[in-house]
Amino acid sequence: DPSHDDGTTATVVISNPDFPFADGAGRRTLNVRVTWDTHHLARLVQWKMPGVGTHVLGIEPANCHVEGRAAERKKSSLVVLEPGEKASYSLVVEVDATVSSD
């Protein structure tokens, strides 16, 4: 769950204490921190696809929750840009990898 520090900023940290890096340096702790302004970007969706030998994690701005656009239309909560309308979002992404002590 994202933590909210001032009511408009959210931060989420994804951490793996035993991440196997391919550079031969062994396993390290990998932390990814994403911070954004919830006033401008109300929905940031995380999804994953675990697979044999490969796992994918997606973090994307969205105009609907995971139930999809049809459910948002039914609730009258779908965010739609009109033709020619633009939206800009700012995110801060910090990545930190530290060598494990074992």
Side-chain angles (χ1 to χ4, degrees):
D1 291 334
S3 62
H4 298 267
D5 55 17
D6 65 3
T8 63
T9 301
T11 299
V12 65
V13 177
I14 302 165
S15 183
N16 183 338
D18 194 32
F19 191 85
F21 282 80
D23 63 4
R27 296 181 180 275
R28 290 179 263 179
T29 299
L30 177 68
N31 295 304
V32 178
R33 176 187 304 267
V34 180
T35 303
W36 70 98
D37 182 338
T38 60
H39 179 73
H40 294 105
L41 178 56
R43 297 179 181 139
L44 189 67
V45 176
Q46 176 259 324
W47 58 268
K48 58 187 170 184
M49 184 196 76
V52 177
T54 303
H55 299 276
V56 178
L57 173 69
I59 301 173
E60 304 174 350
N63 67 343
C64 60
H65 291 285
V66 295
E67 294 88 12
R69 291 182 293 174
E72 296 291 338
R73 276 192 196 97
K74 189 174 182 178
K75 295 187 289 185
S76 299
S77 57
L78 181 63
V79 177
V80 177
L81 293 178
E82 296 301 324
E85 188 178 5
K86 297 178 183 179
S88 296
Y89 306 106
S90 295
L91 297 120
V92 176
V93 179
E94 300 169 82
V95 179
D96 176 53
T98 56
V99 177
S100 298
S101 59
D102 33 61

